[in-house]
């Protein structure tokens, strides 16, 4: 509908541009009246808000709170959100190697556009900024879609569309590269080459630059008719018959820079791996152990039916979490009571794959123990490890990675050989100076420089970066001076470790004082970080926040920081060896604990924002965000555990992350931190209360009702003494859910009703809504287990209405799953299937394997009720595999287990033993992704509209 007044349209645009976040009254007044609000503007704003509520019929969704006004947008209502979700899903399919599915999702996303973002809409700078962001994202999706469709062989039909896009966005090099390739593959080579010449002329005239390296390399490949440019001869199908994503057979990261040399080393390590189940690459820091391991794994991966998988351990500091890190790398969502190493051994027992354990030296004992366990229990796996020291496991083959060969001194500099070290230097030099070339004039200097750096790749790369401002001779002179300052006489007396440290120290000294300080402070981060985190943790009076973005850019230019690939938003990371240097200097200044506290406080604040905003429309956004920050969260918790005075804050952090542990499938890790902190910090503080009920949620997901009773009981007792209504409500809810799992349904119904009552009385609206949503799920479950279907349906109706009003999908997926069980008990198998699939769609998006297992159980029963005994048998096999891998079947509930057995018995009777066994075997052969696609009826499901069909 059209709003009658421009001011109302401006207000609506401002609220929508914030994506559901509250906007302060001050910001709204400044934007509505363009920076000069009249004295009456506050009252006038209230009138406009009232009119907007009335015109749009959104009385309950345009809220006012302490932070200002916020507009709740429901799933599927805002095309911008649907577009972003579809784009993210398309990128995920690209990472899985499925360009067909990716292209279909990108096309669906682009079809949502009906003009420019916020076209003609008022709203001032805030809306204009959001419109610009969406337009940039739209162009990026066009680029990604074109790349996917080129992989599918659709070059001929794509050329015309790309030509139009290039006209709209003349300076987008990726669009021009796609068009050049489409023309080339369509037999229009001359037009593709002409397009490059036009590009070069346009960029020179209007931008004063040359086209980038990727475009120039493509042009050169086209000139020599490189066979690698040929695409598929005919289009591939966009989707396979199942419609779901394929199984993952390995996960090695794409390399952002080329691999230079090392052919002899790759062959040698490959031969060792063929004859030994454990090969460890050792050597000094920066020598290239990880790159060599990844190259070997990439070439050897074809020999492993279940692929090659990288496990990055540099951000793991606690040996108890090594197995958990391996499970995460293998996409195993754990919540089992068994140890992760036991679950891993069972999962890998029948598989043939290669595990690459990267950076083991600081966890050598834990890595050795896990490796030995897995090699004994899983005869089909092999392990390729990188470490500065051997693991000491029986049968281990050790390969010491040598530096790259450097030129030998020769009388005639022009005859100096191009060794691997020189080739690496030249390639990295060209990345910073496209005009750089190895010539008779600089060949000797390059050779001496590589020899001075002992052929250590990281040291060579750091030196090559200096060519942005220095010649090779100047780099050589300055670096030689650095070694002379060590005062140890001849260069040959230096160890290679000292060589690398000196090269890093030289890079450090070449930074500005502010860049050096930021480098040292950034060493407290684990994994990646973004600009907001860098400012929050590192900025102070000495290092102003406004200077951080420029300093970060300077450190990226100097290769101290690297941009992370395949992540939404701009994220940076720092190499381990460079981080260690920064940490040593920070420690030497006595600053490390202060910065680690600031780092901890940043992620504590993030955890509070996550919890506060979780029960709303941004759950998928938060899910991605906190998983991105997992390494930093873990580091913050490890810091709290390392200092007695920090344990109380650690309790607060671990407790506040209860949704992270439960909704993101990190039960074992959450239990690890909560158990340790509760054991070490026993004071009856507010933080302990929350950690107790957080631990109860984790234990409940693990089926450990004994622990739930213990921690929830303690929590309820302490809550009464402290007047903590939230803790009392959650503790009562947990006690009721544990009783229901044990089959004590009478007690469960009473406790669940009490939890609902307590939640309704909570004074803070956010606590009340979140607590009530959880408590109603618990009540519905207890009533369902007690056989009271009508009362269970009433609780579900209230819960779903509450969640829908907030745009929330996680707890709603739980009540939708229970709704399917109620419908099934009433004999409505079709409705049961629809609700279970809607729930399963959300559980799949969130990686909630526990919830997926419950949905598959219901779908198996519903398939049988529909007369599909074959489908029921397949789903029962999927169910058993999921439950056995991740925890006690059906929570350990005797009643749920009996129902499962009865379903199997009836299916067997309907189709006979042979057909049942064949169907069960077929279901058991599916991996998790294939199984979920099958359970969804052979369709991926739409995350934006999971409740569209019921």
């Amino acid at each position: 509908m059209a709003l009658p007044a421009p001011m109302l349209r401006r207000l609506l645009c401002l609220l929508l541009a914030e994506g559901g976040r509250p906007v302060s009254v001050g910001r709204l007044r400044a934007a509505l009246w363009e920076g000069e609000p009249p004295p009456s503007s506050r009252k006038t704003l209230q009138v406009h808000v009232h009119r907007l509520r009335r015109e749009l019929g959104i009385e309950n969704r345009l809220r006012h709170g302490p932070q200002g006004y916020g507009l709740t947008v429901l799933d599927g209502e805002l095309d911008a959100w649907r577009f972003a979700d579809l784009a993210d899903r398309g990128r995920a399919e690209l990472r899985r190697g499925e360009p067909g599915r990716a292209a279909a999702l990108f096309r669906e996303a682009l079809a949502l556009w009906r003009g420019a973002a916020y076209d003609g809409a008022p709203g001032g700078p805030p809306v204009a900024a959001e419109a610009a962001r969406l337009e940039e994202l739209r162009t990026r999706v066009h680029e990604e879609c074109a790349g996917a469709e080129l992989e599918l062989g659709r070059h001929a039909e794509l050329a015309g569309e790309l030509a139009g896009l290039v006209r709209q966005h003349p300076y987008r090099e990726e669009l021009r590269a796609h068009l050049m390739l489409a023309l080339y593959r369509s037999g229009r080579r001359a037009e593709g080459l002409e397009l490059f010449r036009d590009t070069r002329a346009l960029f020179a005239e209007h931008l004063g630059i040359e086209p980038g390296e990727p475009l120039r390399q493509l042009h050169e490949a086209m000139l020599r008719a490189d066979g690698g440019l040929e695409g598929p001869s005919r289009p591939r199908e966009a989707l396979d018959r199942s419609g779901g994503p394929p199984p993952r057979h390995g996960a090695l990261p794409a390399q952002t820079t080329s691999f230079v040399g090392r052919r002899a080393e790759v062959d040698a390590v490959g031969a060792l791996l063929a004859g030994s189940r454990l090969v460890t690459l050792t050597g000094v820091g920066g020598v290239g152990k990880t790159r060599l391991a990844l190259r070997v794994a990439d070439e050897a991966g074809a020999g492993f039916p279940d692929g090659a998988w990288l496990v990055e351990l540099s951000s793991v500091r606690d040996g108890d979490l090594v197995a958990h890190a391996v499970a995460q790398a293998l996409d195993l969502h754990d919540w089992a009571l068994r140890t992760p190493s036991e679950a891993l051994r069972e999962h890998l027992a029948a598989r043939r794959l290669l595990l690459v354990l990267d950076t083991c030296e600081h966890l050598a004992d834990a890595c050795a123990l896990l490796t030995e366990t897995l090699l004994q229990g899983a005869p089909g796996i092999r392990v390729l490890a990188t470490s500065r020291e051997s693991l000491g496991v029986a049968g281990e083959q050790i390969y010491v990675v040598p530096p790259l060969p450097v030129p030998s001194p020769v009388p005639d500099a022009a005859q100096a050989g191009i060794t691997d070290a020189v080739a690496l230097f030249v390639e990295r030099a060209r990345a910073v100076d496209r005009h750089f070339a190895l010539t008779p004039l600089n060949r000797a200097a390059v050779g001496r420089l590589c020899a001075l750096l002992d052929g250590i790749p990281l040291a060579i790369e750091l030196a090559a970066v200096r060519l942005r401002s220095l010649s090779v001779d100047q780099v050589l002179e300055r670096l030689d001076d650095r070694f002379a300052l060590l005062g140890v006489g001849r260069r040959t007396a230096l160890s290679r470790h000292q060589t690398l440290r000196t090269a890093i120290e030289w890079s450090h000294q070449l930074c500005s004082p502010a860049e050096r300080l930021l480098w040292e402070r950034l060493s407290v981060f684990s994994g990646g970080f973004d600009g907001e985190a860098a400012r929050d943790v590192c900025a102070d009076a000495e290092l102003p926040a406004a200077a951080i973005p420029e300093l970060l850019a300077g450190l990226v230019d100097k290769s101290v920081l690297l941009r992370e690939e395949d992540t939404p938003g701009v994220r940076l990371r720092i190499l381990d060896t460079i981080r260690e240097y920064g940490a040593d200097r920070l420690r030497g200044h006595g600053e490390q604990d202060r910065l680690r506290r600031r780092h901890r406080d940043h992620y504590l604040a993030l955890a509070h924002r996550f919890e506060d905003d979780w029960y709303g429309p941004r759950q998928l956004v938060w899910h991605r965000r906190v998983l991105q920050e997992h390494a930093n969260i873990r580091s913050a918790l490890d810091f709290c555990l390392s200092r007695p005075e920090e344990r109380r804050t650690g309790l607060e952090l671990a407790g506040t992350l209860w949704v992270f542990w439960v909704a993101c499938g990190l039960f074992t890790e959450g239990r690890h931190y909560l158990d340790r902190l509760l054991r070490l910090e026993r004071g009856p503080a507010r933080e302990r209360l929350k950690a107790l009920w957080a631990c109860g949620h984790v234990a409940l997901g693990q089926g450990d009702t004994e622990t739930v009773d213990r921690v929830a009981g303690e929590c309820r007792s302490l809550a009464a003494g402290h007047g903590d209504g939230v803790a009392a409500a959650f503790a009562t809810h947990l006690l009721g859910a544990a009783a229901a799992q044990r089959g004590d349904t009478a007690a469960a119904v009473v406790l669940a009703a009490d939890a609902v009552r307590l939640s309704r009385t909570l004074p803070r609206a956010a606590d009340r809504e979140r607590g009530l949503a959880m408590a109603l799920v618990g009540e519905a479950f207890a009533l369902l287990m007690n056989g009271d279907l009508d009362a269970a349906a009433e609780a579900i109706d209230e819960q779903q209405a509450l969640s829908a009003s907030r745009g929330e999908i996680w707890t709603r997926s739980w009540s939708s799953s229970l709704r399917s069980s109620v419908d099934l008990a009433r004999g409505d198998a079709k409705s049961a299937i629809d609700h279970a699939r809607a729930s399963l769609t959300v559980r799949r998006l969130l990686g909630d394997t526990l919830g997926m297992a419950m949905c598959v159980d219901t779908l198996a029963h519903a398939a049988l009720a529909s007369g599909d005994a074959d489908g029921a048998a397949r789903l029962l096999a999927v169910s058993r595999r999921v439950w056995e891998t991740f925890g006690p079947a059906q929570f350990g509930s005797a009643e749920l287990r009996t129902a499962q057995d009865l379903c199997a018995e009836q299916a067997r009777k309907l189709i006979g033993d042979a057909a049942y066994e064949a169907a069960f075997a077929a279901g058991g052969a599916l991996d998790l992704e294939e199984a979920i696609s099958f359970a969804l009826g052979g369709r991926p499901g739409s995350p934006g509209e999971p409740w569209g069909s019921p």
Side-chain angles (χ1 to χ4, degrees):
M1 68 177 292
L3 291 172
M7 195 64 87
L8 293 187
R9 294 196 296 273
R10 182 185 290 265
L11 176 59
L12 178 60
C13 289
L14 285 165
L15 293 169
L16 290 175
E18 288 297 325
R21 295 182 297 273
V23 189
S24 70
V25 171
R27 283 183 60 201
L28 285 174
R29 291 168 60 212
L32 288 172
W33 282 275
E34 298 182 349
E36 296 183 4
S40 61
S41 60
R42 185 178 295 273
K43 183 172 291 186
T44 307
L45 173 61
Q46 293 174 349
V47 173
H48 289 323
V49 168
H50 176 74
R51 288 188 61 193
L52 187 62
R53 285 171 173 155
R54 187 184 63 210
E55 292 286 347
L56 297 182
I58 54 172
E59 287 81 0
N60 297 325
R61 290 164 56 192
L62 179 45
R63 309 176 313 280
H64 181 257
Q67 295 176 299
Y69 288 97
L71 176 61
T72 297
V73 181
L74 303 183
D75 288 332
E77 283 190 320
L78 197 59
D79 283 348
W81 290 7
R82 294 175 61 202
F83 172 72
D85 268 336
L86 288 165
D88 284 345
R89 291 168 59 201
R91 294 185 189 102
E93 294 296 347
L94 279 182
R95 290 194 292 272
R96 294 189 183 103
E98 284 298 320
R101 294 192 186 94
L105 288 164
F106 289 143
R107 287 293 181 192
E108 186 179 350
L110 291 167
L112 294 172
W113 286 78
R114 294 181 291 275
Y118 290 94
D119 191 15
V127 174
E130 174 65 3
R133 185 189 71 83
L134 289 171
E135 290 290 355
E136 169 61 26
L137 181 57
R138 179 189 192 179
T139 306
R140 182 63 191 147
V141 171
H142 272 302
E143 292 170 340
E144 292 165 327
C145 185
E149 295 195 326
L150 282 170
E151 288 190 50
L152 297 168
R154 298 173 184 164
H155 29 266
E157 56 265 48
L158 199 58
E161 179 184 345
L162 281 169
L165 287 169
V166 167
R167 284 193 294 272
Q168 293 175 39
H169 308 282
Y171 303 115
R172 300 287 291 214
E173 293 195 38
E174 190 165 346
L175 285 176
R176 287 181 173 270
H178 288 328
L179 178 54
M180 286 170 60
L181 191 56
L183 291 169
Y184 181 89
R185 289 180 176 177
S186 302
R188 299 159 65 182
R189 177 169 174 264
E191 292 177 60
L193 294 171
E194 181 65 27
L195 175 61
F196 179 80
R197 289 192 289 273
D198 291 344
T199 300
R200 172 174 276 169
L202 177 73
F203 282 21
E205 180 180 353
H206 294 279
L207 303 178
I209 62 172
E210 279 280 308
E213 183 68 19
L215 208 60
R216 297 200 308 275
Q217 288 180 353
L218 175 60
H219 177 241
E220 291 170 4
M222 291 169 64
L223 285 172
R224 62 176 184 269
D226 191 323
L229 295 182
E230 298 298 331
S233 58
R234 53 185 166 78
R236 291 159 47 188
E237 291 300 318
L239 293 171
D240 63 19
R241 292 183 180 180
S242 72
R248 290 185 68 200
H249 295 300
L252 298 177
Q255 296 303 297
T256 58
T257 55
S258 60
F259 186 82
V260 176
R262 297 286 199 196
R263 187 67 253 169
E265 291 91 332
V266 170
D267 291 342
V269 176
L272 285 176
L273 196 58
S276 174
R277 296 185 60 211
L278 170 61
V279 177
T280 301
L281 306 184
T282 65
V284 298
V287 80
K289 299 183 291 295
T290 299
R291 291 296 302 271
L292 178 59
L294 289 174
R295 184 69 168 195
V296 171
D298 186 58
E299 294 191 5
F304 294 89
D306 296 302
W309 302 77
L310 173 66
V311 183
E312 295 180 292
L313 296 171
S314 61
S315 65
V316 179
R317 289 291 177 263
D318 189 333
D320 291 341
L321 294 177
V322 170
H324 189 77
V326 175
Q328 281 184 297
L330 291 171
D331 278 350
L332 300 183
H333 301 274
D334 75 289
W335 51 272
L337 280 174
R338 293 167 298 169
T339 65
S341 60
E342 291 170 341
L344 274 173
R345 185 167 58 182
E346 181 174 333
H347 174 77
L348 296 173
R351 284 173 166 75
R352 292 178 56 201
L353 57 79
L354 174 64
L355 275 182
V356 181
L357 301 181
D358 185 39
T359 317
C360 299
E361 57 267 10
H362 62 299
L363 301 163
D365 291 342
C367 290
L369 180 61
L370 178 64
T371 299
E372 196 166 38
T373 299
L374 296 182
L375 291 176
Q376 289 174 357
I381 76 163
R382 297 192 178 223
V383 176
L384 179 59
T386 73
S387 176
R388 294 185 193 176
E389 59 182 81
S390 65
L391 299 184
V393 175
E396 176 185 26
Q397 293 291 319
I398 299 169
Y399 184 86
V400 180
V401 179
L404 294 172
V406 299
S408 300
V410 294
D412 183 359
Q415 300 302 313
I418 302 179
T419 65
D420 286 348
V422 170
L424 176 65
F425 181 87
V426 170
E427 178 161 317
R428 299 302 186 256
R430 283 176 179 163
V432 299
D433 177 5
R434 62 179 180 272
H435 300 299
F436 181 83
L438 192 66
T439 68
L441 296 177
N442 66 16
R443 186 186 298 263
V446 170
R448 286 200 302 273
L449 178 60
C450 292
L452 187 66
L453 294 171
D454 275 333
I456 298 174
L458 177 57
I460 291 170
E461 293 185 6
L462 289 173
V465 172
R466 302 270 69 83
L467 294 187
R468 283 194 174 96
S469 56
L470 302 172
S471 69
V472 177
D473 286 319
Q474 289 172 322
V475 171
L476 179 61
E477 179 183 354
R478 284 159 174 76
L479 185 57
D480 211 2
D481 288 344
R482 292 298 307 169
F483 282 119
L485 288 175
L486 294 173
V488 291
R490 291 177 55 81
R491 168 69 189 86
T492 53
L494 295 174
S495 69
R496 288 197 168 104
H497 178 79
Q498 187 63 60
T499 298
L500 177 61
R501 184 170 181 86
T502 301
I504 295 174
E505 185 174 294
W506 178 59
S507 290
H508 185 264
Q509 291 300 318
L510 288 172
C511 292
S512 70
E515 287 173 338
R516 291 199 293 268
L517 182 58
L518 181 58
W519 173 350
E520 293 162 14
R521 292 180 176 184
L522 290 172
S523 68
V524 298
F525 285 98
S526 295
F529 56 89
D530 59 18
E532 177 193 353
R535 287 192 300 272
D536 201 17
V537 174
C538 301
D540 58 13
E542 192 177 2
L543 203 59
I548 297 293
E550 185 176 348
L551 295 173
L552 290 173
L555 291 175
V556 170
D557 286 343
K558 296 174 178 65
S559 292
V560 174
L561 298 179
L562 304 177
R563 287 176 65 102
E564 285 194 313
E565 301 297 324
D566 299 327
T567 61
V570 176
R571 288 181 65 82
L572 305 168
R573 65 183 176 90
I574 184 168
L575 291 175
D576 289 336
T577 309
I578 293 175
R579 177 193 287 112
E580 288 171 9
Y581 179 86
D584 284 346
R585 293 188 64 88
L586 193 66
R587 205 163 24 243
H589 299 153
E591 285 277 275
Q592 190 172 53
D593 278 4
R594 183 177 76 88
L595 265 295
R596 291 201 68 182
R597 284 190 185 91
R598 294 192 63 171
H599 173 272
R600 187 271 321 280
D601 289 343
H602 172 80
Y603 288 100
L604 177 61
L606 178 71
H608 280 296
R609 295 205 310 273
F610 167 50
E611 184 189 35
D612 290 342
D613 200 32
W614 173 255
Y615 191 67
R618 289 165 45 81
Q619 287 179 333
L620 292 176
V621 174
W622 273 113
H623 178 260
R624 288 192 292 268
R625 174 77 187 278
V626 293
L627 285 177
Q628 266 189 333
E629 301 292 1
H630 191 176
N632 282 304
I633 288 169
R634 186 185 283 153
S635 176
L637 285 164
D638 288 340
F639 173 69
C640 292
L641 279 167
S642 70
R643 307 284 195 280
E645 68 276 12
E646 304 295 340
R647 289 170 186 162
R648 183 167 173 173
T649 307
L651 267 182
E652 180 184 0
L653 177 56
T656 302
L657 288 166
W658 67 277
V659 174
F660 181 51
W661 310 129
V662 177
C664 298
L666 300 170
F667 293 86
T668 298
E669 185 170 346
R671 185 75 181 270
H672 167 82
Y673 284 115
L674 286 162
D675 278 351
R676 291 184 66 185
L677 286 160
L678 283 167
R679 185 172 63 252
L680 292 168
E681 182 61 38
R682 303 199 60 84
R686 160 183 71 84
E687 293 85 359
R688 181 172 179 82
L689 272 171
K690 187 161 191 179
L692 283 167
W693 61 257
C695 187
H697 273 101
V698 173
L700 185 69
Q702 294 178 307
D704 184 2
T705 56
E706 183 178 338
T707 295
V708 176
D709 287 340
R710 175 176 57 80
V711 297
E714 181 186 348
C715 182
R716 192 158 70 157
S717 297
L718 290 173
H722 284 73
D724 190 331
V726 174
F730 273 111
T732 305
H733 159 67
L734 290 166
L735 290 168
Q741 282 191 19
R742 287 194 303 272
D744 187 358
T745 55
V749 169
V750 173
L751 287 163
D754 200 25
V756 170
R757 178 186 59 79
L758 289 169
S759 298
R760 292 190 196 280
T761 63
L762 294 174
R764 184 170 174 259
D767 293 333
R768 184 169 60 251
E769 290 181 344
R770 182 176 56 202
L772 187 57
M774 302 280 297
L776 285 168
V777 169
E779 184 177 44
F781 180 56
L783 291 166
L784 175 64
M785 296 295 289
N786 202 40
D788 193 343
L789 301 183
D790 290 340
E794 287 180 13
I796 291 167
D797 286 342
E798 182 180 357
Q799 198 285 332
Q800 293 203 320
L802 176 61
S803 290
S805 72
R806 292 297 306 273
E808 188 270 350
I809 61 174
W810 180 56
T811 59
R812 190 179 176 190
S813 72
W814 283 92
S815 61
S816 194
S817 176
L818 293 171
R819 165 74 73 186
S820 68
S821 296
V822 170
D823 289 345
L824 188 60
R826 288 172 165 173
D828 190 347
K830 181 183 183 305
S831 180
I833 290 172
D834 286 341
H835 282 291
R837 283 178 174 168
S839 177
L840 182 56
T841 298
V842 174
R843 269 52 180 308
R844 184 194 211 185
L845 284 170
L846 293 172
D848 181 355
T849 311
L850 167 59
M852 286 192 276
M854 294 177 63
C855 291
V856 172
D857 279 357
T858 304
L859 287 168
H861 293 236
L864 181 65
S866 302
D868 182 8
D870 181 271
R874 292 170 188 261
L875 288 165
L876 285 168
V878 171
S879 167
R880 188 180 76 170
R881 178 175 174 199
V882 173
W883 283 109
E884 287 183 351
T885 302
F886 299 107
Q890 288 75 42
F891 296 114
S893 166
E895 289 188 29
L896 293 177
R897 184 65 212 170
T898 298
Q900 200 79 344
D901 292 340
L902 181 61
C903 181
E905 181 182 333
Q906 292 174 341
R908 190 182 291 272
K909 284 180 180 178
L910 280 174
I911 58 176
D913 288 346
Y916 178 88
E917 294 296 339
F920 193 87
L926 299 174
D927 75 1
L928 184 61
E929 282 294 342
E930 291 172 321
I932 300 306
S933 291
F934 174 74
L936 286 168
R939 56 184 174 83
S942 168
E945 299 176 329
W947 286 279
S949 55

